[in-house]
């Protein structure tokens, strides 16, 4: 039961990240056109938007693909759970 709750929370968090990214793209799209015409802010550097920090105090991951990473980790965890903890065996 706990694994199903963890998977549900991870899927919910991934959905929140996808929704947030969609809203952010909708807000940034008009600025990109204005920046090309010299009327708006310049576009942020894409490489600065991706960050991974590993340290003794924890792990920090910032990316535009954060929702995808959460979803992939959740599904991988669930697949490992089904394979090793709760294997499904066909009866003869």
């Amino acid at each position: 039961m706990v694994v199903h709750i963890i998977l549900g929370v991870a899927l919910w968090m991934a959905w929140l990240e996808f929704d947030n990214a969609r809203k952010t793209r909708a807000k940034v799209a008009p600025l990109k056109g204005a920046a090309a015409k010299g009327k708006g802010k310049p576009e942020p550097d894409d490489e600065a938007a991706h960050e991974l920090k590993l340290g003794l105090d924890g792990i920090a991951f910032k990316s535009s693909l954060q929702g995808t990473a959460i979803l992939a980790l959740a599904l991988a965890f669930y697949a490992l759970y089904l394979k090793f903890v709760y294997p499904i065996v066909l009866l003869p």
Side-chain angles (χ1 to χ4, degrees):
M1 184 67 179
V2 172
V3 172
H4 299 295
I5 292 171
I6 291 172
L7 180 65
V9 169
L11 291 174
W12 177 68
M13 289 174 57
W15 179 81
L16 288 176
E17 289 295 327
F18 283 130
D19 191 48
N20 186 23
R22 183 184 54 84
K23 289 177 183 176
T24 302
R25 278 194 306 272
K27 289 179 185 177
V28 172
L31 292 178
K32 287 185 178 181
K37 296 177 186 175
K39 296 180 181 178
K41 299 179 191 176
E43 295 180 29
D45 186 18
D46 284 339
E47 293 191 20
H50 303 291
E51 180 181 344
L52 176 64
K53 290 183 182 180
L54 301 173
L56 296 175
D57 56 339
I59 299 172
F61 176 65
K62 296 180 184 176
S63 173
S64 60
L65 300 174
Q66 194 167 4
T68 305
I70 292 170
L71 181 61
L73 285 172
L75 293 176
F77 176 73
Y78 192 63
L80 289 173
Y81 172 77
L82 289 177
K83 181 169 177 77
F84 295 110
V85 178
Y86 193 79
I88 298 172
V89 179
L90 295 175
L91 297 175

